[in-house]
Amino acid sequence: MRPPIPTFSVSRRGRIAIGIVAVLLFLATVANSLVGVFIDWLWFGEVGYRGVFSSILQTRIILILVFGLLMALIIGGNVLIVYLVKPPFRPLSPEQQNLERYRVTLESRKKLAFGGLLALMGLAAGLSAQTNWQAWMLWHNGGDFGVKDPQFGMDISFFAFDYPIYRLILGFAFSAVIFSLLLSVALHYLFGSIRLQTPGPKISNPARRHLTALVFVFIALKAVAYWLDRYGLVYSDRGQVTGASYTDVNASLPAKTILFWIAVVIALFVLASIWLKSARLPGIAFAVLLILSIVINGIYPALVQQITVKPNASDREAKYISRNIAATRSAYGVADAGQGGPVTYGSFSPGKDKTPDTSALVPSNPTVSNIRILDPNQISSTVSAQQQLQNFYGFPNKLDIDRYTLPDPATGQSVTKDYVVAVRELESGNLLGDQTNWINKYTVLTHGYGFVAAPANQDVTNPPYSYTEQNIPQTGPLNIKVPQVYYGELPSDYAVVGAAGTREQDGKDGKDSYGGAGGIKLDSLLTRLAFAAQYKETNFLLNDAVTSPKAKVMIVRDPRERVQKVAPFLKIDGDPYPVVDTDSGRIVWMVDGYTTMATYPYSEKNSLEQMTSDSLTKTSQTAALPNDQVNYIRNSVKATVDAFDGTVKLYKWDDKDPLINAWSKAFKGLLLPRSSMPKALADHVRYPQDLFEVQRYMLEKYHVSDPVQFYNQVDKWTVPSDPVTPSSNQPPYYVLASALSSSANASDENGTAPEFQLTSPMKVNGRPYLAAYVSVDSDPDPSKYGKITVLRLPSDSNVNGPEQVYQAFNANAVISKDISLLSGQGSSILHGNLLTLPIGNSFLYVEPLYVKATTANAYPVLQRVLVDYGGKIGYGVTLAQALANLNDSTVGAGIVNGATSGNGSATPTPTPPTSSPKPGTTPAPPAGDVGAILSQLDAAFANLQNAYKTGDLAKIGEAQAQLQALTKQYLNARAAATPTPVPTLAAATPTPAPAVPTPTPKP
């Protein structure tokens, strides 16, 4: 006889204590969740989108209730059936004796046990269902795409909106039936309806009928699953591309149809067995279905693939690859213009003799006059050193590029130029000493101040620092009336503002109290208690700045997070950028939002993070997109976030996108029409970089239209590696340049207005040569915005790509020697972005070269500009000098360091003379005496080095002015002595820079 099972008994006082602890833990968990919900409710009320919050919350609650109750009813109904059909008497046997103690225990607590079980199962089902609230809302509000899939003739909306919901319902039904079946078997065994060790029947008739009915439902659901699997073939990855392949259409599709009918017949047989006395029929039916599924759905398609398709894959799969090409191009927005898409293909020939025509490099060419020499990814610390002004201000690691149309100081005419722009934000990481206490950090140092803009084609790293918009108080032509920046990429978690008697640091010396509309009012004890609990901070209850009647708290201050919270159905671009609304005088953040899905039939599915990965995301200079699998994307929303009061506005930018139309219907009033965006803001919309990276990723393969050629991948392109970080892709670059022409070699060179474009070169797969050049227009005009031009190069052109050009720069004897000199004496070289620009009959590569001292607080200073045009290398202190150097016989002619002799042959850098000219004086050498000017340049350079050692900024400025004047004299002398005319670009390029880094001025 078995020994009795030991039992653990708890006293009545112990049970009460355990219950109290459990209740307290539950209440604490619920309270913490409710605090978050309450703060979200307050926040959505602040931004004016409480309808979004309530709609989402209502949908999720409904899903929890509906699916939770359904699961509880299904399982509860089966438990009730088990209890009702349990045998009144059970045969006496050791098996039943051992089960009796459990039956007695369960009978005494059956309401608590079954009630708790049903509540737990219902809650689990409801919580699982509510995570799919987006799919349910799209299903409820979605409309037609107006496009039919090529296999079933169904509108794409069936796959986008209906198919996912059918799968979710089917999955829920399977879960309910399986849990019911397992629980019913266990309870039938416990209550004696199933007797494994008792002579006679092993299962009672009522129990057999009950379990047979559950098996019938399971097989019926399996039949439905086979039918839905037919439509799921449009996502098959059996072939080389996504979508139903030859084997899927000719083997798997018939197989799943056959299995559907077999499952229906077997389900009917199982149902009929309810009135039979055989308990084996349901098990036999299930086994038959499993075997047939393996043979028909597994082995047969595999044989077709191996015997029929594999030996002739390119021919067999051609039809289905064509479907994939068409669907992928449509889903990713890279369809040909002839098929209603935005992509226009053209050709670019480097010329019959492949000799670069430098006559195209003239200032009247909009591309040449707007060549960018400031790299926004490198000069953040430079701008900080010159424009930080207070230690608690700062700038992001990566600045932004935008264009403005402003009066030219020289002519007075309005000219469009691209600018490096940034917002002077509050940088809490820079706070020191008493600045870090709670009062100063959260109630005094609450915001940034001002906007900085520098012409991208001029040097601001060397004196004179020619910023267009700068300083505190704000100065410049952009008419900024509200320079305060409470919402940006750098602020801390929250700020308490607006309290009476509190003065927030505002600008350099001014102090003021916030009077804007942003922030959540702290006028109730409940609100202050909620924030105290959320941030674990008692000051929300005790500090006078918080309890003041006008006090507010600002939360969710990052523009990306703010837009994401208002529109959680969007994917948010990783690079918001600041814009000055010149009409209102306010600083506004522009944020791009994408609608995506992964259920577009036949479209290639890829990781969003992988497609947008480049050197900027790898170094965290821009935010990476989530690692979600998608096969459809649209830039459907342009959002703005006011930097002063945090106002969020969402504009429906693509009203042809069925997804955004569905969301617009689900959240009425959330999206504003595109036409309502103020013109002063619309003029600054950019084609988003992340979307362009997705599209260029797809164009690597999907520029090929012929399915056989696509299968063989003989014309695949790849994105060049970033020369500075070879393990990462080169990011695309914004440039202000001539419009590309698909019918001409390169671009419009007649002096017409330039276009703001996002560009990227593409190279031949596995080789470093250029294969194509891709550009997309950012003009807000709907007829121009998003138009992609692809210039293909001939396969035999062998035009060097960015990686080769970068290597050529570093391998050049003069340049490498100069780099060694510049990187010595406690300095390091920083390579700027390598721009690729089609001009004339070749490509012009431009790379700025920065030098940064290794001392504390040092910043990059522009020292050289490197250019390559058709294989010819130019190099100079300025862009003008580098372009002029293209016509010299020796690379580096005229460079201050590593200078050349008068006849063009390279000579070693001369030793600085013992005596130097007096700073501020520039002796006038004989006109055209190149040798004399070079000698004085050597002396001036030595004088500048000595000035740097003293640290006297006045002496440094005098020496720089002397060096600048001598450099101009040298260029003029060489131009006069050279029989071949050299293009003069002084009007379009910055003044010459010194040859060594400028020390960091103290804030």
Side-chain angles (χ1 to χ4, degrees), residues 392-539:
F392 44 80
Y393 292 139
F395 294 90
N397 290 331
K398 174 189 173 298
L399 308 185
D400 292 294
I401 295 290
D402 197 5
R403 72 285 198 195
Y404 286 86
T405 302
L406 299 172
D408 190 314
T411 64
Q413 296 180 346
S414 294
V415 178
T416 301
K417 292 184 178 180
D418 55 347
Y419 293 81
V420 175
V421 298
V423 169
R424 187 184 295 105
E425 300 187 49
L426 176 71
E427 176 56 275
S428 58
N430 291 342
L431 302 184
L432 302 172
D434 290 340
Q435 292 176 334
T436 60
N437 66 52
W438 190 88
I439 293 176
N440 283 328
K441 187 174 182 180
Y442 294 105
T443 68
V444 178
L445 303 176
T446 57
H447 62 281
Y449 189 97
F451 184 86
V452 175
N457 67 342
Q458 297 181 23
D459 178 23
V460 297
T461 67
N462 291 288
Y465 306 121
S466 54
Y467 289 92
T468 301
E469 196 76 26
Q470 60 181 328
N471 292 343
I472 298 176
Q474 189 77 41
T475 61
L478 294 182
N479 190 34
I480 298 178
K481 299 175 182 177
V482 186
Q484 292 85 358
V485 180
Y486 284 86
Y487 296 86
E489 297 177 285
L490 296 181
S492 56
D493 292 338
Y494 63 89
V496 177
V497 300
T502 301
R503 293 292 182 231
E504 303 166 34
Q505 186 68 36
D506 192 50
K508 188 174 183 180
D509 300 314
K511 291 188 176 182
D512 198 4
S513 184
Y514 182 74
I520 299 171
K521 292 182 179 180
L522 294 170
D523 53 359
S524 74
L525 178 60
L526 179 61
T527 300
R528 296 195 292 271
L529 279 170
F531 280 101
Q534 179 76 6
Y535 293 106
K536 310 296 187 295
E537 180 55 67
T538 57
N539 277 303

Side-chain angles (χ1 to χ4, degrees), residues 127 155 170 275 281 303-304 321 344 365 485 524 546 560 571 627 639 661 676 681 716 724-725 765 909 916 937 947 961:
L127 292 176
D155 189 88
L170 185 63
W275 292 273
L281 189 56
L303 290 175
V304 172
I321 292 176
T344 300
N365 187 314
V485 180
S524 74
V546 179
R560 289 186 76 248
K571 299 290 190 303
N627 189 27
N661 289 334
S676 66
L681 293 179
K716 188 177 184 294
V724 181
T725 53
N765 187 34
T909 304
S916 302
L937 275 171

Side-chain angles (χ1 to χ4, degrees), residues 685-699:
V685 298
R686 305 187 315 192
Y687 197 80
Q689 180 172 312
D690 282 334
L691 176 60
F692 184 69
E693 288 188 314
V694 168
Q695 291 174 325
R696 75 172 181 178
Y697 182 92
M698 302 312 301
L699 284 172

Side-chain angles (χ1 to χ4, degrees), residues 329 336 343-350 699-706 709 715 717 740-742 744-745 762 770-774 789-795 797 843:
R329 287 179 172 181
D336 296 357
V343 181
T344 300
Y345 290 92
S347 60
F348 185 96
S349 175
L699 284 172
E700 290 181 1
K701 295 191 303 182
Y702 286 90
H703 67 277
V704 178
S705 299
D706 181 77
Q709 189 179 14
D715 190 25
W717 301 339
L740 294 186
S741 172
S742 60
N745 238 8
M762 305 293 285
L770 277 189
Y773 182 81
V774 186
T789 302
V790 181
L791 297 180
R792 303 180 196 244
L793 276 71
S795 58
S797 61
F843 284 89

